Amino acid sequence: EPEVTQTPSHQVTQMGQEVILRCVPISNHLYFYWYRQILGQKVEFLVSFYNNEISEKSEIFDDQFSVERPDGSNFTLKIRSTKLEDSAMYFCASTEESNQPQHFGDGTRLSIL
Amino acid sequence: SQQGEEDPQALSIQEGENATMNCSYKTSINNLQWYRQNSGRGLVHLILIRSNEREKHSGRLRVTLDTSKKSSSLLITASRAADTASYFCAISNFGNEKLTFGTGTRLTIIP
């Protein structure tokens, strides 16, 4: 069964540095999402992306964050000038059509030191 | 917040017993979805139930939805050790794609 894949599985970065989290959604999917889960807390929506543009973003997704689909397969989340509170699991998800089940990757654990 | 609490927060049962988890929400919804998360892994979709549906089944899973009470339940019958995981409900509102997750129920099946 097709899967959403995320790399790296674990990223350790110094505070203030930039990180790029990578995702390969399922190939025929058109809607892409990033979520994060701070340890012990609920999964939080960050951003949705459709037709090469952001369709919705949360209050968390401020100017520090950006997303890109640089080619036909990758979907990236960039976090500039990382802060300690950015430490979390970041999940990518995709879906083929609107209001259908979202398929999640296994996540990237981001640790900011 | 669009999402209420799930209860219980944690549930431990013997293998073979049924497990019931509940989810409440605060807004009108387009659909409600249940996901499972094994420790350190991503979320796995279990069932999607639309706002005009009242009950859905998938294998040993049964989901109900009561839009008048803004609540849903997930029943796992004949539980197995492999069902040990955290279970989350997530709502989708009309007009947007994002999922709003609950706090989850940590289910432990005792062999």
Side-chain angles (χ1 to χ4, degrees):
Chain A
E1 184 174 325
E3 293 183 340
V4 174
T5 57
Q6 291 185 242
T7 55
S9 57
H10 192 188
Q11 174 79 44
V12 181
T13 301
Q14 290 289 327
M15 186 172 60
Q17 297 296 306
E18 174 182 287
V19 295
I20 297 176
L21 309 182
R22 291 182 165 81
C23 170
V24 179
I26 295 173
S27 62
N28 64 333
H29 284 189
L30 301 176
Y31 297 81
F32 314 112
Y33 311 87
W34 283 101
Y35 294 84
R36 80 173 184 188
Q37 186 179 30
I38 295 171
L39 185 64
Q41 299 186 22
K42 62 174 71 174
V43 176
E44 301 173 290
F45 168 79
L46 293 178
V47 66
S48 58
F49 192 87
Y50 170 71
N51 200 24
N52 286 319
E53 61 183 23
I54 291 173
S55 48
E56 188 175 1
K57 59 183 181 180
S58 71
E59 292 178 353
I60 303 168
F61 195 89
D62 58 21
D63 292 343
Q64 185 193 3
F65 295 87
S66 62
V67 290
E68 193 178 31
R69 189 156 164 79
D71 52 42
S73 60
N74 290 284
F75 180 50
T76 62
L77 174 68
K78 182 188 291 186
I79 309 174
R80 288 178 284 273
S81 190
T82 50
K83 298 175 275 193
L84 294 176
E85 53 265 38
D86 294 328
S87 295
M89 283 289 288
Y90 288 81
F91 293 105
C92 173
S94 69
T95 187
E96 185 175 1
E97 296 178 8
S98 171
N99 293 307
Q100 292 297 313
Q102 294 183 16
H103 297 258
F104 284 77
D106 278 343
T108 293
R109 180 176 299 280
L110 178 62
S111 300
I112 306 300
L113 304 179
Chain B
S1 169
Q2 296 178 327
Q3 189 70 325
E5 296 292 321
E6 291 172 11
D7 75 273
Q9 289 188 335
L11 178 63
S12 292
I13 60 173
Q14 293 291 135
E15 191 169 21
E17 294 181 340
N18 296 341
T20 299
M21 289 158 272
N22 302 295
C23 166
S24 62
Y25 57 92
K26 297 180 179 178
T27 65
S28 60
I29 62 170
N30 182 13
N31 64 65
L32 185 145
Q33 304 179 33
W34 283 90
Y35 287 82
R36 185 186 73 222
Q37 184 181 35
N38 290 87
S39 181
R41 302 297 300 276
L43 296 133
V44 175
H45 179 262
L46 298 175
I47 289 185
L48 182 153
I49 186 166
R50 302 195 184 280
S51 59
N52 60 352
E53 298 175 311
R54 292 297 166 257
E55 187 170 312
K56 273 188 111 167
H57 297 255
S58 177
R60 294 183 296 112
L61 306 181
R62 172 177 167 254
V63 167
T64 62
L65 178 65
D66 186 335
T67 53
S68 66
K69 296 181 179 178
K70 291 186 167 55
S71 67
S72 174
S73 67
L74 170 66
L75 168 68
I76 303 175
T77 60
S79 62
R80 304 167 182 170
D83 295 329
T84 293
S86 291
Y87 291 82
F88 296 89
C89 67
I91 62 170
S92 174
N93 300 114
F94 290 99
N96 61 57
E97 298 292 326
K98 71 177 184 182
L99 293 176
T100 303
F101 284 83
T103 51
T105 295
R106 182 180 300 277
L107 175 66
T108 303
I109 308 300
I110 303 166

